[in-house]
Amino acid sequence: MTTETAPEPPPGVEELEAQQRRLVFRRFTHDDAWELGSLLVRLARERQAPIAIDIHRAGQQLFHAALPGSTPDNDAWIARKRRVVERYGSASYLVGARFRAKGTTFEESSRLDPDVYAAHGGSFPITVEGVGVVGAVTVSGLPQVQDHRLVVEALERFLERSPDR
């Protein structure tokens, strides 16, 4: 007899909003981008995840990595998901979840070009205490819930081990 565990259900709007309230930096420097990006690379390599990783702050790319198995399509998805974070100030997955909670989809109801914006999981705002959203950390290459969870895990680990950030 084998016991299979059911996959964890995707996070709902309340859980996603709680993640955003919790995952806030005191500051976010170029060195922080390098460390966070490097942590994501390590996590992805351990899992053999075929992802691309991007960290932007104030319109500038501070970190980028494309791991084995990723493709140029991942960079296009990164740009589309990041634009959602920049426009809405919320995680790309949360934006999509809010539309789904209203019984519609981002593509149907946002009135934004889906070739430019994608409310799919994987891009999370970099929020600085007392400042607001200053950028985004984004991954692409896994199913959207997994992309989102990987970014959240990396942010949690980064902020946990560096409480002064």
Side-chain angles (χ1 to χ4, degrees), residues 98-121:
R98 285 176 174 152
F99 279 91
R100 289 187 295 277
K102 293 177 189 170
T104 185
T105 67
F106 177 81
E107 294 78 12
E108 291 170 354
S109 299
S110 71
R111 304 183 75 187
L112 296 172
D113 184 345
D115 291 333
V116 179
Y117 296 90
H120 291 253

Side-chain angles (χ1 to χ4, degrees), residues 26-165:
R26 288 203 174 101
R27 61 181 169 81
F28 192 79
T29 67
H30 287 75
D31 289 338
D32 295 329
W34 178 260
E35 288 181 38
L36 178 58
S38 297
L39 172 59
L40 275 162
V41 167
R42 282 193 304 279
L43 292 173
R45 286 190 189 280
E46 287 169 9
R47 299 162 194 190
Q48 298 180 333
I51 64 169
I53 302 161
D54 177 88
I55 300 176
H56 263 70
R57 185 191 68 188
Q60 181 183 22
Q61 184 178 53
L62 301 182
F63 184 93
H64 185 272
L67 299 180
S70 65
T71 69
D73 257 3
N74 296 121
D75 291 326
W77 274 99
I78 282 171
R80 292 167 58 215
K81 292 190 276 190
R82 186 185 70 244
R83 285 187 197 106
V84 167
V85 172
E86 291 167 348
R87 184 174 186 111
Y88 288 85
S90 295
S92 54
Y93 192 73
L94 172 56
V95 172
R98 285 176 174 152
F99 279 91
R100 289 187 295 277
K102 293 177 189 170
T104 185
T105 67
F106 177 81
E107 294 78 12
E108 291 170 354
S109 299
S110 71
R111 304 183 75 187
L112 296 172
D113 184 345
D115 291 333
V116 179
Y117 296 90
H120 291 253
S123 191
F124 202 93
I126 296 168
T127 304
V128 174
E129 218 171 80
V131 177
V133 175
V134 299
V137 53
T138 311
V139 301
S140 174
L142 301 171
Q144 67 169 329
V145 174
Q146 291 177 34
D147 275 349
H148 175 80
R149 286 188 172 134
L150 181 59
V151 172
V152 168
E153 178 184 347
L155 286 167
E156 287 171 341
R157 286 185 184 202
F158 183 86
L159 290 167
E160 215 172 73
R161 84 170 184 233
S162 308
D164 63 321
R165 293 201 172 120

